[in-house]
Amino acid sequence: MNIFIAGDGEVGFYIAEALVNSNHDITIIDPHEELLKMVEAHTDLLTIVGESNSVSVLKQAKIEKADLVISVLHDETVNIITAILAKKLGAKNTIARVNTLQNLNLDNRKIYQDLGIDYLVSPEDIAGQEVVNLINTPEVFEMFNLTNDKLSVFLIRIEKDAPVIDKTLIEIAKLYGPLNFRAVAINRNQNSFIPTGTSSFKRGDMVYVVSKPESLQELFALAGKRKYDINNIMVVGGGRVGKVICKELQNDYNMKLIESNTERSHGLTDILQDTLIINGDARSVELLDEEGIENTDVFIAVTNSSETNILTCLHAKKFGVKKTIALVENLDYIEISQNIGIDTILNKKLIAASYIVKHAMGNEVSSLKKCLSGINSDIVELVALPGSMATKKPIKDLKMPEGAIIGGITRSEESYIAVGDFQIMENDRVVVFALPGLMTKVEKMFQKTGFLFK
């Protein structure tokens, strides 16, 4: 595929990095010449200096040859214009990043499609919805629902009283019978590995598990998780992510939102009528104390400042809050944030990139997610195309790259946890967990023999 990426920051370059090894021809359009020189020095990407909403720049880029145009600048107006112009100039498909989709009804979305925008993506909406999903399943630190919600991927921690501690996967299977979930990766002391039958669990392990939805309680019991109720939620930051979270949750929980900007606080009172809006600085321990932080079950920090989000979550932990969630936009801070005890890290750049990348990886990729919590890897759901290598032999005989593992399979309306004797069939959706640098090799196993991306 010929893919053109218009960006002015990390989202565009992260998308390019994710696609560069997938047999695509990628061109980056960016107004910052010095930045593009640095990109050219370290990659084989083609770069063009200029504004992507300029007809002359798009013509110079030969946009009419584009199979996909992705516009992810911070300015949604530029993204919309770029996508429309690209389609009018001959691009086959376009994706535009926008600020929010919440206020776009189906009729309005149809207007954008008629103008030439095939997909609209809002990182804020996606991040907000991820938080909502985590509130509904508080025992997990990350979750990813797959096609038709027949399988899900969860990140859980092995607690001190977990029955599986010091037991191997083989022993666990013998003790508890056939299980409707499978561990696909373990992070221990900042080291990640793919477990085998002889791998054992230790207290504090962070484990990615592919599971059927009906098996969650059994999974949590084996991990030593104790169910707790959520009643009181405190959100810091009344921007787009904070508004999405509160609008989704305010009818079911006692919601408090702290916003430092007075004018924005007044505006939020009209939008979030069932959320208590507090105008103040959440970095103040006194304010948190006054607003009942000790009675808070979940603390969510989603301001535009990574530092503020990290600091306030640490304050919340000291007050005994059960679950903390922080929006960390500075990629350099992610690992530090995980190591100092914040339960869940969100990053809009990676969220948006994962969502967009799946549209560029061919028909055999139905979904993809970048893991954040200590394990640098991808979870991808691949469609086994007719004649692909994955359909030729049982799973145990497939030569999966070392560092990649099949977790589960969805076939029509049924889902299955991967075991060695299972035979993948054409059009099955297969959940694969892969460590860095392996996704291209994995993808080839699910493509038609002898063919690459079209």
Side-chain angles (χ1 to χ4, degrees), residues 16-155:
E17 182 183 40
L19 294 173
V20 72
N21 295 318
S22 295
N23 302 300
H24 298 304
D25 295 322
I26 299 171
T27 302
I28 294 182
I29 304 172
D30 192 286
H32 303 101
E33 185 173 2
E34 292 301 319
L35 187 60
L36 290 183
K37 286 182 179 178
M38 182 180 68
V39 171
E40 285 184 328
H42 294 90
T43 69
D44 293 328
L45 300 175
L46 178 63
T47 63
I48 294 177
V49 180
E51 301 288 346
S52 62
N53 58 347
S54 164
V55 173
S56 62
V57 170
L58 293 177
K59 285 184 174 180
Q60 176 194 347
K62 296 182 171 55
I63 207 74
E64 71 276 5
K65 297 182 178 179
D67 296 298
L68 177 64
V69 174
I70 304 167
S71 189
V72 287
L73 288 85
H74 289 86
D75 188 333
E76 70 172 357
T77 303
V78 175
N79 295 330
I80 290 169
I81 294 173
T82 297
I84 292 172
L85 290 176
K87 181 60 75 73
K88 296 298 181 185
L89 290 170
K92 292 180 182 177
N93 293 288
T94 62
I95 299 174
R97 172 185 177 179
V98 296
N99 292 336
T100 182
L101 296 173
Q102 278 207 323
N103 298 323
L104 283 181
N105 58 36
L106 292 177
D107 289 338
N108 289 342
R109 294 191 193 197
K110 180 66 166 55
I111 291 172
Y112 281 109
Q113 289 178 345
D114 291 341
L115 287 170
I117 304 174
D118 297 293
Y119 302 99
L120 293 167
V121 56
S122 168
E124 289 77 16
D125 284 24
I126 300 172
Q129 191 57 53
E130 288 210 3
V131 172
V132 172
N133 293 338
L134 288 167
I135 298 303
N136 293 331
T137 313
E139 296 87 353
V140 306
F141 295 90
E142 275 190 53
M143 65 181 297
F144 182 36
N145 292 322
L146 301 163
T147 301
N148 298 326
D149 293 334
K150 297 297 181 183
L151 288 173
S152 297
V153 179
F154 301 99
L155 177 66

Side-chain angles (χ1 to χ4, degrees), residues 382-416:
L382 296 157
V383 178
L385 297 183
S388 60
M389 290 173 56
T391 63
K392 302 294 186 183
K393 302 175 182 178
I395 289 176
K396 64 181 180 182
D397 296 326
L398 295 177
K399 295 181 179 179
M400 291 291 291
E402 186 175 352
I405 185 173
I406 295 174
I409 303 94
T410 301
R411 178 178 298 160
S412 298
E413 294 300 312
E414 296 295 325
S415 60
Y416 307 88

Side-chain angles (χ1 to χ4, degrees), residues 328-344:
V328 180
E329 286 301 276
N330 188 325
L331 297 176
D332 295 331
Y333 290 173
I334 290 178
E335 185 174 351
I336 297 171
S337 303
Q338 294 157 346
N339 292 339
I340 60 180
I342 298 174
D343 295 316
T344 299

Side-chain angles (χ1 to χ4, degrees), residues 242-260:
K243 281 190 289 187
V244 169
I245 294 168
C246 291
K247 285 184 74 172
E248 290 286 334
L249 297 176
Q250 64 182 353
N251 294 328
D252 299 315
Y253 302 95
N254 299 320
M255 302 293 297
K256 290 183 180 180
L257 189 152
I258 302 176
E259 169 55 49
S260 59

